[in-house]
Amino acid sequence: MKKFDFNKDWICRSLDREEREYPVTLPHDAMIREPRTAESRGAGNIGWYTGGDYEYKKCFYVPEEENGKTFILEFEGVYHNAEVYINGEKAGFRPYGYTNFYINIGKYLKYGEKNEIRVIARNSDQPNSRWYPGTGIYRPVVLYTGEKMYIPVNGIRIRTVSSFPAVVEICVKTSCPGTVDVEIFKDGKSILSDTAWAEKDEAVFRMEISDAALWNCETPELYTCQVHFGDDIVEENFGIRELKWDRANGLTINGNRVILRGACIHHDNGLLGACAFPEAEERKIRILKENGYNAVRSAHYPCSKALLNACDKLGMLVMDEYVDVWYIHKTAYDYAGEMLKWYQEDLKDMVEKDYNHPSVIMYSTGNEVSETAQKKGIHLTAEMTRLLHELDGTRPVTCGINIFFNFLSSIGFGVYSDEKAKKTAENVEKNSLPKKKNEPSKKRKTVGSEFYNTLACMMGDRFMKWGATLYPCDLKTRDAFANMDIAGYNYGIDRYGHDLKKYPDRLILGTETFCKDAYTFYEAAKENPGIIGDFVWAGWDYIGETGEGCAEYSDYNFNGERPETQMTGGNGRIDLLGKPRAEAAFTRVAFDLEKGPRIAVWPVYQKENLHITGWQLTKALESWSWRDCAGMDAKIEVYARAHSVELLLNGICIGKKKIPKKSCRVIFRTVYGDGELTAVSYDKAGKEIGRQTLRTAEKDTILKLMPETETIKPEGLIFLPLQYTDKQGIWKPMEKHRLTVKVENGSLEGLGSANAYKEGNYTDPVTDTYYGEAMAIIRAGSRGTVKIIVSDEENTYITEVSVEEPIYG
């Protein structure tokens, strides 16, 4: 079918607040502009946004001569309980906020005159999510049209039969019998073609591609399949990659074993909210890939098509996950009430979205669903695995099971009830009222995954991993694990060795893990093909799921009596702006992608003792610029794969340590002094194998504006990191400023810092820096030059980005 962009000329308005309607281009997230308040019923789970319902309207014209064609609208994502009306008639409804869905709108259209589409996105039913969901039509909308002879939406399926020789099977659905022509292109050049007659509205091709360039993480080679049927022309990109999995060889791509070095990611794009802009999705994947990850888990719902396209292009593997809840609620108004009615349709749509993408290597049916400890849930596990095999027999199926929580829930801990939900709502309301001095806040009643997370923060990650080794945990997971291809262990690394021996056919995947376990995991996986990979929580920081608040020093923590300043959990190896934290450097060394050494320093001037949760490894920064701190105690971390590490300050040895066994991290304590801090790593023979130096910045200070691209496509996104440095470009993390941003020939889409605490919104034109850094994201105009003006208390800084000439035709 012919495909048309349906994203422009929409009008959005709130259905809850007296606000003017305003024009929008999709994708659009209405929630990111909402007030953040202590009265939020979604509380810290959704970043203290209020939540609300919104109406989207668009008028469009359909010529009289189009009567008789097929018209299908695809909504890639509407959060949530989406209602679609065409010319006043209800044409569709979809409750799940993370699935793409289709509506045949032909019978509702008026030909030769104006038509109106209205979409209602509901999100006032709080609480309904454990993280920031966004609200509205946050992913693109596409209009498909077809004449009598057309290829239906998702009507082309391409799979690799074998990689040696390279053979692909192409199945083409058609609206009627007829001749189908297929042509294969590589880098724009035609390399192969074939013709077949579509019997019973389907044609099947099996084609061998000589000297094929195979798709894998290192060389993500893509081909284009172009299919002609009548006047209809449809193109699909694909990669040639053969996927296998078994206990003897682990997970293999084209015959080579691959250990998944994975990152769990949420769908939001930080300062941009939930909008699935292609540039933001690709940037996220590129930065994760640059930091050593070769796989992402779409936690905890199907990812966008834009993200899949980026993964195909950049060589990032994907575990596409279905849902966070089955039939037991985790919040009062989540998807649990609808899941059993809709899961078959949801899974079908997810598979059709994913099928031709070589990056997708696995499906997950859920996350921390304690139903897997029950007879009904064990049966549902098997049913969803069977359905996914029926829809797609080329990929394995897993489910992320929190092993310890399965046991705890089976004896009554952390289980949802309406009474607990009511109590939580009452406590949120009470906490929003003025308090007497020293009056404590009322505790929220946590259930499900949030119960486990709260317990982990109280007891520590070691206790939770120990809990997963208890015998009842095996009893409450083994039957569900038997009903999937790969057993998904959330925080169960201490079980790996035992379970590999007890279950000789089991494949284990760490579907959710702590950052500090990266080295332990990778060393075990290298020796055991039964361990196929690991997905750290989290690869990238995200809005919401703040818990009791991120561990943060008081000068950056606005919390106190104002919980509504909690914005993120601060749990990403990559911060909210896309900057790798020191934890990312640790991870690259742990994964043996770098030998190190890499240096990170806890902020020298900070004297508070922070309680770091299991989801954070450190608060150290990769900087030695702590002027005016001479003589203060300094805590320094060094990450290296070596026998020992020596630390030098201005050429003088201040310490030398052996790196502990089963680790790549060593900690030094010394006294700060300006100058050069150098770490030198040695092998057992005392031979130097690596070194790194951090230097103190000079006294001069400037704000460095660093657009990530020199030019930008018309109406494209400009990502502009802002960093205080000296004139040599050395970062100055002690600088604290308030920045104001103005834009000419463009619009400011987002502004903020990586601080887990935020006053106001990312849509505000003002932000405070966090350790001397912030970021602005700008939507460029259609031509000319974008001018960005950034001011602090004393100075104004300007940068310009040229808009590329549009390409027509």
Side-chain angles (χ1 to χ4, degrees):
M1 300 183 79
K2 290 183 172 60
K3 184 177 178 180
F4 298 93
D5 184 307
F6 208 66
N7 293 313
K8 293 188 176 181
D9 303 320
W10 290 80
I11 299 292
C12 177
R13 73 180 182 97
S14 171
L15 298 180
D16 306 289
R17 296 184 301 278
E18 291 295 328
E19 298 175 352
R20 287 185 177 181
E21 62 183 23
Y22 55 98
V24 299
T25 297
L26 307 180
H28 177 257
D29 176 11
M31 183 178 248
I32 200 70
R33 294 163 176 81
E34 289 178 351
R36 297 175 62 232
T37 170
E39 286 80 26
S40 167
R41 286 176 291 131
N45 280 350
I46 62 171
W48 298 94
Y49 288 89
T50 54
D53 299 338
Y54 292 86
E55 178 189 72
Y56 291 80
K57 289 194 301 184
K58 175 185 172 81
C59 292
F60 60 102
Y61 179 79
V62 183
E64 183 66 44
E65 57 269 24
E66 300 285 293
N67 196 346
K69 287 186 177 181
T70 299
F71 291 85
I72 293 176
L73 275 177
E74 177 189 14
F75 293 86
E76 198 183 321
V78 181
Y79 198 86
H80 70 163
N81 290 328
E83 305 166 37
V84 181
Y85 298 84
I86 305 292
N87 296 321
E89 293 188 69
K90 190 171 184 177
F93 168 74
R94 197 62 175 264
Y96 194 31
Y98 298 106
T99 187
N100 55 318
F101 62 96
Y102 306 88
I103 301 175
N104 190 328
I105 64 172
K107 66 180 181 179
Y108 304 103
L109 294 177
K110 298 175 181 178
Y111 298 93
E113 55 184 294
K114 184 177 72 174
N115 292 264
E116 182 189 70
I117 179 172
R118 288 194 307 122
V119 179
I120 308 298
R122 306 281 183 189
N123 203 8
S124 61
D125 54 342
Q126 295 293 332
N128 63 52
S129 178
R130 295 194 302 109
W131 53 81
Y132 175 86
T135 306
I137 312 176
Y138 66 97
R139 290 177 181 170
V141 178
V142 174
L143 175 65
Y144 295 92
T145 67
E147 307 278 356
K148 180 181 178 182
M149 295 181 67
Y150 65 85
I151 300 166
V153 178
N154 301 317
I156 300 172
R157 288 166 65 99
I158 306 168
R159 72 176 181 94
T160 300
V161 177
S162 65
S163 53
F164 303 103
V167 178
V168 296
E169 182 182 83
I170 303 168
C171 295
V172 181
K173 298 284 186 182
T174 60
S175 61
C176 60
T179 300
V180 178
D181 297 305
V182 168
E183 193 167 8
I184 306 297
F185 293 84
K186 183 73 176 83
D187 301 326
K189 180 181 178 181
S190 176
I191 61 170
L192 196 60
S193 62
D194 199 0
T195 300
W197 181 262
E199 289 285 352
K200 297 182 180 179
D201 304 340
E202 182 181 62
V204 180
F205 300 79
R206 185 164 287 210
M207 307 173 78
E208 182 174 335
I209 301 174
S210 58
D211 300 319
L214 303 182
W215 190 97
N216 56 48
C217 294
E218 291 72 36
T219 57
E221 299 283 351
L222 292 173
Y223 290 79
T224 299
C225 174
Q226 188 179 91
V227 182
H228 293 246
F229 182 64
D231 293 329
D232 201 8
I233 302 173
V234 178
E235 290 187 347
E236 288 283 343
N237 291 330
F238 69 97
I240 301 170
R241 68 109 180 90
E242 188 174 8
L243 183 69
K244 292 183 179 179
W245 57 96
D246 58 55
R247 179 63 181 268
N249 302 292
L251 184 78
T252 64
I253 294 178
N254 304 324
N256 299 311
R257 186 186 176 210
V258 176
I259 299 174
L260 302 181
R261 306 186 304 269
C264 296
I265 57 173
H266 269 302
H267 74 307
D268 76 73
N269 279 302
L271 310 184
L272 297 168
C275 293
F277 297 123
E279 308 101 306
E281 300 285 63
E282 182 168 329
R283 178 178 182 267
K284 180 186 293 183
I285 297 303
R286 173 179 56 79
I287 291 172
L288 286 165
K289 187 81 184 290
E290 290 169 352
N291 282 277
Y293 296 102
N294 65 2
V296 293
R297 174 192 181 202
S298 67
H300 304 290
Y301 33 73
C303 62
S304 71
K305 290 184 177 182
L307 189 125
L308 290 182
N309 290 336
C311 291
D312 290 347
K313 175 183 175 181
L314 299 175
M316 182 71 82
L317 305 174
V318 179
M319 178 173 79
D320 210 6
E321 188 155 83
Y322 167 40
V323 76
D324 187 53
V325 294
W326 285 359
Y327 52 81
I328 297 176
H329 286 280
K330 293 182 181 179
T331 60
Y333 304 107
D334 60 26
Y335 195 51
E338 301 284 352
M339 182 269 180
L340 290 177
K341 291 179 280 185
W342 284 93
Y343 79 86
Q344 296 183 41
E345 186 72 17
D346 292 341
L347 291 177
K348 174 180 175 291
D349 288 331
M350 182 175 75
V351 169
E352 288 184 346
K353 169 178 68 75
D354 292 354
Y355 192 89
N356 292 335
H357 290 276
S359 57
V360 180
I361 58 160
M362 193 181 313
Y363 300 116
S364 169
T365 56
N367 170 66
E368 296 183 339
V369 278
S370 60
E371 294 93 328
T372 51
Q374 304 174 353
K375 185 176 180 180
K376 178 181 175 181
I378 292 166
H379 174 76
L380 182 58
T381 306
E383 178 58 25
M384 285 197 283
T385 298
R386 181 203 62 77
L387 177 59
L388 284 167
H389 286 167
E390 183 180 291
L391 294 167
D392 179 0
T394 71
R395 294 172 171 98
V397 178
T398 188
C399 179
I401 295 180
N402 190 312
I403 296 172
F404 191 22
F405 181 62
N406 259 35
F407 166 51
L408 294 175
S409 67
S410 72
I411 57 175
F413 289 101
V415 180
Y416 174 89
S417 70
D418 289 337
E419 183 180 349
K420 289 179 182 177
K422 182 180 179 181
K423 192 70 173 177
T424 293
E426 290 173 353
N427 286 344
V428 168
E429 185 175 349
K430 289 177 182 177
N431 288 339
S432 69
L433 299 174
K435 296 183 180 63
K436 298 177 182 178
K437 188 176 181 180
N438 299 324
E439 179 185 355
S441 295
K442 299 290 184 180
K443 290 292 184 180
R444 300 171 65 240
K445 298 288 185 180
T446 59
V447 299
S449 298
E450 191 178 0
F451 169 82
Y452 176 89
N453 296 345
T454 302
L455 186 62
C457 289
M458 292 171 53
M459 304 300 297
D461 60 288
R462 289 185 179 180
F463 176 80
M464 308 312 285
K465 290 183 289 186
W466 168 81
T469 67
L470 298 175
Y471 176 64
C473 294
D474 183 27
L475 297 179
K476 293 300 179 179
T477 57
R478 63 188 182 186
D479 293 334
F481 282 149
N483 286 340
M484 59 187 81
D485 301 306
I486 294 171
Y489 283 46
N490 282 22
Y491 309 109
I493 192 170
D494 289 353
R495 289 201 68 92
Y496 290 2
H498 172 273
D499 288 0
L500 286 171
K501 292 177 182 178
K502 184 172 182 178
Y503 299 101
D505 295 325
R506 181 177 291 182
L507 285 168
I508 292 175
L509 173 63
T511 37
E512 204 163 299
T513 62
F514 296 113
C515 175
K516 63 181 63 175
D517 293 327
Y519 182 91
T520 303
F521 145 72
Y522 201 69
E523 292 303 296
K526 287 192 292 187
E527 301 299 321
N528 296 282
I531 303 171
I532 69 164
D534 171 282
F535 286 90
V536 69
W537 193 270
W540 195 292
D541 203 4
Y542 56 95
I543 304 174
E545 201 174 15
T546 64
E548 297 301 313
C550 172
E552 188 53 83
Y553 297 108
S554 58
D555 57 339
Y556 286 117
N557 181 344
F558 308 119
N559 191 15
E561 296 300 317
R562 298 167 56 213
E564 70 274 14
T565 61
Q566 299 170 359
M567 181 67 94
T568 85
N571 295 323
R573 311 291 77 78
I574 312 296
D575 72 23
L576 196 74
L577 309 185
K579 180 180 179 179
R581 289 183 166 125
E583 295 162 323
F586 163 80
T587 302
R588 293 193 300 273
V589 174
F591 286 165
D592 209 4
L593 300 170
E594 296 180 17
K595 297 299 182 183
R598 295 298 301 266
I599 308 170
V601 182
W602 286 66
V604 176
Y605 73 96
Q606 303 281 17
K607 297 306 174 187
E608 302 166 50
N609 291 319
L610 295 182
H611 173 64
I612 303 294
T613 71
W615 290 279
Q616 288 182 301
L617 177 73
T618 180
K619 298 293 286 188
L621 306 175
E622 295 179 275
S623 175
W624 191 243
S625 290
W626 308 101
R627 283 197 174 273
D628 301 322
C629 293
M632 293 185 181
D633 293 337
K635 181 180 177 182
I636 301 162
E637 302 188 10
V638 180
Y639 316 128
R641 280 185 171 266
H643 177 262
S644 61
V645 172
E646 182 181 21
L647 205 59
L648 308 171
L649 180 57
N650 297 323
I652 299 173
C653 177
I654 56 174
K656 188 172 184 178
K657 288 188 176 184
K658 286 185 179 180
I659 295 180
K661 290 183 179 181
K662 300 182 180 180
S663 177
C664 63
R665 180 188 184 207
V666 65
I667 296 176
F668 293 86
R669 295 181 185 274
T670 187
V671 173
Y672 178 80
D674 294 341
E676 293 188 347
L677 181 69
T678 300
V680 184
S681 57
Y682 300 94
D683 63 15
K684 285 185 179 180
K687 180 182 177 182
E688 179 181 328
I689 56 176
R691 68 168 55 211
Q692 185 198 20
T693 297
L694 297 178
R695 294 176 176 83
T696 306
E698 298 297 328
K699 291 184 178 181
D700 58 273
T701 302
I702 61 171
L703 177 62
K704 195 173 182 181
L705 279 55
M706 304 176 289
E708 294 182 350
T709 54
E710 295 181 1
T711 62
I712 192 69
K713 293 180 180 178
E715 300 180 1
L717 288 178
I718 301 168
F719 292 87
L720 179 65
L722 309 168
Q723 184 185 63
Y724 281 93
T725 71
D726 65 9
K727 290 180 180 179
Q728 285 70 46
I730 298 177
W731 176 28
K732 304 188 75 171
M734 292 185 71
E735 292 294 325
K736 296 178 182 177
H737 297 276
R738 174 156 291 189
L739 303 179
T740 301
V741 176
K742 296 180 181 179
V743 178
E744 295 178 7
N745 191 30
S747 59
L748 183 63
E749 295 293 311
L751 176 66
S753 76
N755 193 356
Y757 295 85
K758 168 69 176 174
E759 293 185 289
N761 281 18
Y762 294 134
T763 53
D764 298 336
V766 177
T767 186
D768 293 322
T769 58
Y770 180 67
Y771 290 108
E773 296 180 312
M775 175 177 276
I777 305 175
I778 295 97
R779 174 73 66 189
S782 57
R783 56 178 55 84
T785 299
V786 182
K787 186 176 182 180
I788 304 134
I789 305 104
V790 184
S791 302
D792 61 16
E793 300 84 353
E794 297 182 356
N795 299 296
T796 296
Y797 305 84
I798 297 173
T799 190
E800 295 183 345
V801 178
S802 298
V803 179
E804 300 166 5
E805 289 296 322
I807 299 174
Y808 300 101

